[in-house]
Amino acid sequence: MREFAPDVRLLAGGTDLMVRLRSGRFRPNAVVDVKRVSGWSSQIVETEGVLRIGAGVTMTDLVADTKVQRHFPALVEAASVVGSIQIRNRATLAGNICNASPAADTAPPLLVCGAIVNIASAWDERRLPLHEFFLAPGKTALAPSELVESLDLPIPAEPVGSSFQRITRRRGVDLATVNLSCTLNAAGEVRMAFGAAAPIPLLVNGTVASLEEMTAQARPISDIRGGQDYRQAMLLVMARRALEIARGRLSR
Amino acid sequence: MKLTINGQEIARDVAQHHTLLEFLRDDIGLTGTKECCAEGECGACTVLLDGKAINSCLVLAAEADGSIVTTIEGLEKDGQLDPLQQAFIDKGAVQCGFCIPGMIMAAKYLLQENSNPTEAEIKQGLAGNLCRCAGYSRIIDAVREASGGRK
Ligand SMILES: Cc1cc2nc3c(=O)[nH]c(=O)nc-3n(C[C@H](O)[C@H](O)[C@H](O)COP(=O)(O)OP(=O)(O)OC[C@H]3O[C@@H](n4cnc5c(N)ncnc54)[C@H](O)[C@@H]3O)c2cc1C
């Protein structure tokens, strides 16, 4: 990477990168297939209250994993609607985050569960909370020499309910018009994150009584998938639905 | 690179920028796999890579080094069509035919993972495959028939 920096691209599942390479919008000097790097992890490992998801883990792997199903149902719901089965068989969770689309479906459930990004370069390692990782559309806090090694998801110490909501123009293979995830604990505290509603996926905190104030922090734009007003209105509807489902899961 | 395509071991040099789809069609001559949208939306280029359905337009040929690839040409065994291929014929599920290799490969993967899918599961499994003739209902009938026919 140092040899070709800064014009080097990492290739994971390729479902974002290949589309962009073929569109001719950029021509990196080098493409590095990270899947062949020794020590590259496609494992999901549980240790001391943390679920560590290796950068090689695909959406299909994630959806099938019983540990993820048990602790992070909202993440499973999000991963299972990414693209088609052909896409999910290649697309990695880390790639979804590194691509930094405002509409990335796994970003909201990862944000509400307090995910930490494990970042590595040839000479250093650091950890960054996911809500500090997204900077702008397509832009992350990664330096050109850095890559994401894994994501750490803290397993909730107290009971929480979580859920995921998404609106699309058609069912199957469409990016989200708006997506949203929330967690709720027994004290009525709510963590909520939404996508395609601001330049980056946004995390907000509040309570069951402050859904309107929370969703009002969105800054949606109008584009081909929906108008600004529509998105803003839908956020509140989706927040109520998400909370209802989270409440049901909390009491179970 | 070395890989196994439809049971046959193949060693070839490959252009670094070529996709698996281009490699299969242009270098190996397996033209059953179709190129259409070239951006992962339509599923016409679906093949099995190490047993998993993928869009071959979004995979570099070099990524498939050491892998096992199955294309539509690899489904027929000893002159016998795969039950899925036969069901597509019997149910009249083929109109212009362009999407069918991809449809059948996606269906092959679906039935391999879930031998008795519901209609909803069939639709979900084929959500990444577009048919411009809109012959979806017969395609779904054919997959159900091949799976042994639960309603
Ligand atoms: C037809 C289609 C439908 C799609 N539908 C959806 C959808 O519904 N929802 C959704 O959220 N996305 C969707 N996507 C986008 C894409 O599939 C996801 O963003 C996917 O998770 C990207 O992962 P990947 O492994 O394929 O990444 P790649 O394409 O390999 O990489 C994406 C970017 O991240 C960088 N990168 C990858 N891994 C790392 C790493 N470990 N460290 C540092 N940088 C890295 C790459 O260099 C590249 O810039 C769709 C794409 C297609 C083609």
Side-chain angles (χ1 to χ4, degrees), chain A residues 130-207:
Chain A
L130 184 62
H131 67 89
E132 294 174 20
F133 184 76
F134 299 118
L135 300 183
K139 193 161 168 34
T140 69
L142 287 180
S145 56
E146 287 181 322
L147 52 75
V148 170
E149 219 172 13
S150 61
L151 287 156
D152 280 351
L153 314 189
I155 296 169
E158 50 162 22
V160 297
S162 71
S163 66
F164 175 74
Q165 291 282 311
R166 180 185 197 238
I167 294 180
T168 52
R169 293 165 303 171
R170 65 183 168 105
R171 239 184 303 155
V173 201
D174 192 8
L175 295 183
T177 303
V178 194
N179 56 25
L180 179 148
S181 181
C182 78
T183 61
L184 168 70
N185 68 11
E189 291 165 341
V190 177
R191 284 164 71 81
M192 183 181 292
F194 26 78
I200 58 171
L202 220 56
L203 174 67
V204 295
N205 293 312
T207 69

Side-chain angles (χ1 to χ4, degrees), chain A residues 11-15 18-19 22 31 33 35-36 58 60-61 80 84-90 170-173, chain B residues 19 22 35 38-41 43 46 49 52-55 57-60 62-63 65 106 109 124-125 127-129:
Chain A
L11 176 69
T15 60
M18 286 295 289
V19 174
R22 289 180 57 118
V31 170
D33 183 357
K35 299 184 292 298
R36 303 283 170 127
T58 65
T60 297
D61 299 334
S80 65
S84 58
I85 185 65
Q86 290 96 323
I87 296 291
R88 291 190 294 279
N89 279 343
R90 295 295 284 179
R170 65 183 168 105
R171 239 184 303 155
V173 201
Chain B
T19 61
E22 289 163 327
E35 170 156 16
E39 53 186 29
E41 298 275 350
T46 303
L49 177 61
K52 289 204 171 134
I54 54 102
N55 295 310
C57 72
L58 294 184
V59 176
L60 286 171
E63 289 181 80
D65 186 24
Y109 178 73
Q124 175 81 17
N129 294 75

Side-chain angles (χ1 to χ4, degrees), chain A residues 67-91:
Chain A
K67 302 181 289 294
V68 183
Q69 290 166 2
R70 180 159 7 104
H71 298 299
F72 303 104
L75 181 59
V76 171
E77 287 167 328
S80 65
V81 294
V82 169
S84 58
I85 185 65
Q86 290 96 323
I87 296 291
R88 291 190 294 279
N89 279 343
R90 295 295 284 179

Side-chain angles (χ1 to χ4, degrees), chain A residues 9-10 12-17 83 92 95-96 98 104-105 148 166 175, chain B residues 40:
Chain A
R9 286 287 169 154
L10 301 180
T15 60
D16 280 314
L17 187 66
T92 60
N96 197 220
C98 292
D105 281 308
V148 170
R166 180 185 197 238
L175 295 183

